Amino acid sequence: MAWTCSGTSNTALIDNMWKNGLITDARVKEAFLKVDRAHYSPSMPYQDSPQPIGHHATISAPHMHAAAIEHMLSYILPSSTSPAPRVLDVGSGSGYLTHVLAELVGDRGLVVGLEHIEALKVLGETNMGKSAEGRRLLESGKVRFRVGDGRKGWHEAAREGEEALGKGWDVIHVGASAVQVPPQLLEQMKAPGCMFIPVDDDEGGYSQHVWRIEKDGNGEVTRKKLFGVRYVPLTDAP
Ligand code: SAH
């Protein structure tokens, strides 16, 4: 699937993901088109493959970011039950997905990018600051980058007027693989809410699958194994 979607420009890359059925929703396509991957990937930004960003981290392949968004879309978009979606992006790395998510959560939504390496938290902010749109999102407070251990989740302090939005997360995206689903992340999911998380199949973490975990309005949790992947692990901070 990767490679076939590569392009010579941001538009070509996104168009190819659309043509290949990796992006199926026009709103998702529009969000991706607003974010130039060259601001986030230091090398070969329009190739559909992961690229190194330093600190043993990588920006994930575009088709993986597309899959994450497509599998959680109904929770990311504002709705009558959740007009101001709250999204936590664990292991925000380059900040690319954090930015694309922010294009989808609507006027009142919030996206928090969480990193355990300060330099990568700063990288995410710096990359977003390269475009006028990214700066606008940072200045408005819709996107915030924080430092912390993503396995513990994150409690974002409410700003004025945000108190009624609740504390949990409508969406938790995890960009690094877990040995098991961290209980604190499950607790912090709203009901309804959704999590996208790569989990090791075995002890060595040699094989992994992405799981989509959904919590319904009654707090009932269901899990679906989506597809095999190869992500860097969630670790202790260096
Ligand atoms: N979504 C990012 C992926 C970056 S790679 C992108 O596409 O750019 C995975 C990231 O997870 C790395 O940046 C790494 O620093 C971070 N990470 C690893 N363990 C973590 C932890 N315990 N808490 C928070 N972030 C972590």
Side-chain angles (χ1 to χ4, degrees):
M1 201 68 84
W3 313 107
T4 56
C5 290
S6 301
T8 51
S9 67
N10 202 57
T11 307
L13 168 68
I14 309 308
D15 276 345
N16 285 339
M17 288 207 283
W18 177 258
K19 280 183 208 142
N20 284 290
L22 296 168
I23 297 175
T24 64
D25 189 291
R27 293 164 294 187
V28 176
K29 184 181 182 197
E30 204 182 308
F32 272 96
L33 283 171
K34 283 189 184 161
V35 185
D36 190 342
R37 196 164 178 274
H39 292 160
Y40 295 89
S41 179
S43 50
M44 296 184 274
Y46 307 130
Q47 186 164 298
D48 189 12
S49 63
Q51 297 294 332
I53 56 170
H55 306 272
H56 305 291
T58 53
I59 175 172
S60 300
H63 70 272
M64 200 55 75
H65 285 144
I69 288 184
E70 290 262 330
H71 280 288
M72 296 195 290
L73 189 60
S74 62
Y75 298 87
I76 298 169
L77 295 171
S79 63
S80 53
T81 47
S82 188
R86 291 165 52 90
V87 178
L88 180 64
D89 184 19
V90 173
S92 49
S94 66
Y96 176 74
L97 184 67
T98 321
H99 186 167
V100 180
L101 286 164
E103 298 291 348
L104 289 160
V105 294
D107 289 343
R108 296 173 55 212
L110 168 72
V111 185
V112 172
L114 184 60
E115 256 301 327
H116 67 157
I117 297 175
E118 168 81 27
L120 288 173
K121 175 250 185 198
V122 173
L123 180 73
E125 270 167 351
T126 307
N127 288 342
M128 269 197 86
K130 291 176 185 170
S131 65
E133 172 72 351
R135 286 193 294 280
R136 187 184 68 78
L137 290 167
L138 286 171
E139 282 157 19
S140 69
K142 183 188 282 197
V143 173
R144 303 170 203 169
F145 288 93
R146 303 291 188 227
V147 176
D149 185 343
R151 293 168 294 192
K152 299 191 174 123
W154 183 257
H155 290 291
E156 181 63 21
R159 294 188 180 179
E160 218 185 309
E162 287 176 358
E163 297 83 357
L165 302 178
K167 285 201 167 111
W169 302 102
D170 293 84
V171 171
I172 300 179
H173 170 265
V174 185
S177 69
V179 175
Q180 56 180 36
V181 180
Q184 278 146 302
L185 291 185
L186 280 174
E187 275 162 34
Q188 289 176 28
M189 284 169 80
K190 277 192 188 176
C194 185
M195 173 159 44
F196 179 99
I197 181 168
V199 183
D200 294 347
D201 294 329
D202 47 48
E203 256 185 35
Y206 295 109
S207 102
Q208 308 164 347
H209 278 81
V210 167
W211 289 79
R212 182 179 58 195
I213 303 175
E214 288 177 287
K215 202 186 256 187
D216 70 14
N218 299 318
E220 191 86 27
V221 173
T222 51
R223 299 164 193 245
K224 188 173 182 209
K225 198 175 187 176
L226 295 180
F227 44 78
V229 283
R230 194 94 190 97
Y231 274 69
V232 299
L234 282 167
T235 61
D236 292 333

